[in-house]
Amino acid sequence: MMMREGNWLTIVWWIIGIGMHAAVDMLWTKSSVTLLLYLGLTLLIQRGLVWYRASSKYPTEIAANIASQ
């Protein structure tokens, strides 16, 4: 099973990133546009990396799963 892996430093970086984007939103746009964009892009990149690692490590299992759907 492929999963994302993080530690306490990951949590610190997430808090810093969310805080920075929330501050920019409040000062600049008065909305949550950059915060939503930041969260969406980072989760999309994480999903892509997990998919890439899984597809390179388990190619036959993924092919069988796709074929069964």
Side-chain angles (χ1 to χ4, degrees):
M1 173 187 258
M2 297 298 291
M3 296 176 50
R4 293 177 231 182
E5 187 176 325
N7 56 20
W8 65 270
L9 190 58
T10 307
I11 295 170
V12 169
W13 282 115
W14 270 100
I15 292 170
I16 290 171
I18 289 171
M20 286 175 29
H21 283 86
V24 167
D25 284 339
M26 294 309 248
L27 294 172
W28 185 31
T29 62
K30 304 287 190 229
S31 69
S32 57
V33 172
T34 63
L35 179 60
L36 290 174
L37 184 63
Y38 167 72
L39 291 173
L41 284 175
T42 54
L43 292 173
L44 179 69
I45 291 169
Q46 283 182 6
R47 183 192 179 281
L49 288 173
V50 169
W51 176 258
Y52 174 74
R53 289 177 185 162
S55 63
S56 64
K57 190 171 185 178
Y58 305 107
T60 56
E61 289 84 353
I62 290 177
N65 188 15
I66 291 172
S68 69
Q69 293 180 2

